[in-house]
Amino acid sequence: MRESINPPLTPSCNPFQKKKGWFQRKEMLGINLLRLATYIIIACALFIFSDIFIKGVPTLVKSEAPFINTEFFTESPQILTVWHDSAGNEYSMTQEKHDIWVIENPTIEVIDIHNYTASGGGILGPLLGTALLVTICMAIALFIGVSAAIYLSEYCGTGKLMSLIRLAILNLAGVPSIVYALFGWGVFCYMAPNYVTEISDRSLFAFSIGGGYISFEGWEQSLLAGGCTLAIMVLPVIITACEESLRAVPKGFREAAFALGATRWQTIRTAVLPYALPGVLTASVLGITRVAGETAPIMLTAAASDKSKLPTEVLADEGFWSFLTQSVQALPFHIYTLAKFPDSEYVKPMQYGSILVFLLLVMGFSLISMVLRSRIRKRNKW
């Protein structure tokens, strides 16, 4: 039998085997660098979250039943007082309890006393204030943002003016929060119209109506001013995300609705918005997570470091307008206040407990958004 001229192929001389040249090695080096960067980011995030979790959990839980530190969620922040007696024993309690203790123990000498702002009590006031600010902000921003996105996506054309408007919206999304804070402080705190019985000295102008005046003197630092400032700040994000969601709906849905005789608004309401709802939910969560963590706008337009009454108590005692024009405590500003004492062991439990609660809130919003998005997509498939 005649032997084959060509020798049998071996793995080393396989013509289809990919040769490792300089370009292939350079590509593998780039992939490994990207992989390393990804792992470093994940490791840093895990380290930060685990550190906050380990140091914050002891503040939220107790060793005895009911195992949850209910006082942390049912009390407002208070001044923490730390002192020693003549025997060297250390005491730590809120200032209110300290005053009672001094009255009940007049024979014990109090020495080396220190006060720490907002380091005692709990976070009920900041939690309520943050929830109210986010609620007002999203109620305004979602209505205006979704409406603007519908107009830009479904009604307006693609001319130069619309391109400039879209570019302006994208640029506004990158403006620092302190700029929005100064804008809200100047417009809503000192220029917004207000119905009053007496005109303030800082009023720009006023005119009489009924038994009072419409005076452009602003709402001062208040819940309404803070909510409007946050709404303006988050509007570019919501408009951009909602517009992309609306554009992602196939044009065939619109054409089918028009073929059946539907008007443009009926088409948008029945054939476009239901399928764009997951994207709208995503935009809402992006907006909530951003405004809930902002400090500068809240600090300049709404926040109070100390508040004797809860917002709900003001609503019950003084009415709805006083409720909207009151200053409130907020969780980001509360954390900022605690950050002034970075090296104090007496402040760290409140610091890490507040940060952990804030992270859990953000994670909870994201989880709710993911579940709702998944259910809506399963129900509305195309």
Side-chain angles (χ1 to χ4, degrees):
M1 184 180 223
R2 187 177 179 181
E3 295 182 357
S4 175
I5 299 175
N6 298 325
L9 295 176
T10 60
S12 60
C13 62
N14 185 357
F16 300 103
Q17 186 178 13
K18 187 176 181 180
K19 296 180 180 180
K20 292 185 178 180
W22 165 245
F23 292 104
Q24 285 74 20
R25 292 190 180 93
K26 188 166 65 173
E27 181 182 2
M28 288 301 299
L29 177 62
I31 293 173
N32 290 329
L33 288 176
L34 293 175
R35 183 183 291 114
L36 178 63
T38 304
Y39 291 158
I40 290 174
I41 293 173
I42 294 174
C44 292
L46 289 176
F47 173 76
I48 294 172
F49 294 152
S50 60
D51 182 66
I52 293 173
F53 184 80
I54 292 171
K55 296 179 179 178
V57 164
T59 305
L60 305 185
V61 299
K62 298 187 297 185
S63 58
E64 66 275 0
F67 303 109
I68 297 178
N69 187 4
T70 55
E71 294 180 355
F72 190 72
F73 298 97
T74 57
E75 294 183 0
S76 293
Q78 302 177 39
I79 296 176
L80 181 67
T81 303
V82 181
W83 76 96
H84 297 80
D85 59 16
S86 57
N89 298 318
E90 185 180 77
Y91 299 86
S92 174
M93 61 184 68
T94 61
Q95 189 176 41
E96 181 180 352
K97 293 181 180 179
H98 164 260
D99 296 338
I100 298 174
W101 184 90
V102 170
I103 296 174
E104 294 177 349
N105 300 274
T107 59
I108 299 179
E109 182 182 3
V110 176
I111 59 176
D112 192 23
I113 186 170
H114 297 279
N115 292 326
Y116 299 93
T117 304
S119 301
I123 58 171
L124 177 60
L127 275 179
L128 286 177
T130 303
L132 291 172
L133 284 170
V134 170
T135 301
I136 293 175
C137 164
M138 297 311 297
I140 298 172
L142 276 180
F143 176 77
I144 299 176
V146 174
S147 301
I150 291 174
Y151 175 75
L152 291 173
S153 174
E154 305 296 328
Y155 287 98
C156 73
T158 57
K160 291 183 178 180
L161 178 60
M162 293 298 106
S163 299
L164 289 175
I165 291 175
R166 290 187 175 92
L167 180 61
I169 292 173
L170 291 174
N171 290 334
L172 285 174
V175 173
S177 59
I178 186 63
V179 177
Y180 288 104
L182 293 172
F183 172 80
W185 178 70
V187 174
F188 298 116
C189 294
Y190 289 97
M191 294 175 59
N194 194 1
Y195 183 77
V196 295
T197 55
E198 294 183 2
I199 301 175
S200 174
D201 294 336
R202 70 172 188 273
S203 176
L204 298 178
F205 63 92
F207 55 90
S208 62
I209 179 173
Y213 302 90
I214 298 294
S215 175
F216 288 80
E217 59 186 55
W219 304 319
E220 299 183 347
Q221 284 188 318
S222 62
L223 184 62
L224 187 58
C228 291
T229 303
L230 293 173
I232 292 177
M233 186 185 69
V234 81
L235 264 178
V237 177
I238 292 179
I239 293 174
T240 304
C242 291
E243 185 182 2
E244 292 298 325
S245 301
L246 292 169
R247 290 182 178 275
V249 178
K251 291 184 178 180
F253 289 13
R254 300 172 177 83
E255 294 171 355
F258 289 145
L260 293 174
T263 63
R264 183 176 290 273
W265 171 242
Q266 288 175 331
T267 301
I268 295 171
R269 182 172 55 85
T270 59
V272 178
L273 280 179
Y275 299 98
L277 192 56
V280 175
L281 287 174
T282 302
S284 303
V285 173
L286 287 175
I288 290 174
T289 53
R290 182 177 182 186
V291 301
E294 289 295 340
T295 305
I298 294 175
M299 181 173 60
L300 291 182
T301 62
S305 58
D306 187 20
K307 190 76 175 177
S308 59
K309 282 187 176 183
L310 294 174
T312 51
E313 295 175 344
V314 175
L315 177 62
D317 297 340
E318 303 179 25
F320 186 70
W321 183 246
S322 297
F323 167 75
L324 288 178
T325 54
Q326 66 171 322
S327 59
V328 293
Q329 294 175 304
L331 200 53
F333 185 66
H334 176 62
I335 296 172
Y336 168 78
T337 303
L338 295 172
K340 297 177 182 178
F341 309 98
D343 300 326
S344 175
E345 58 178 331
Y346 305 104
V347 184
K348 286 183 179 179
M350 178 65 77
Q351 286 177 335
Y352 284 102
S354 302
I355 295 171
L356 179 58
V357 170
F358 180 72
L359 287 179
L360 291 176
L361 285 175
V362 173
M363 292 172 62
F365 282 127
S366 301
L367 181 61
I368 292 172
S369 171
M370 291 170 58
V371 172
L372 291 176
R373 215 166 42 230
S374 176
R375 290 187 176 182
I376 292 174
R377 283 177 177 171
K378 288 181 180 179
R379 187 180 61 187
N380 298 328
K381 290 184 178 180
W382 67 75

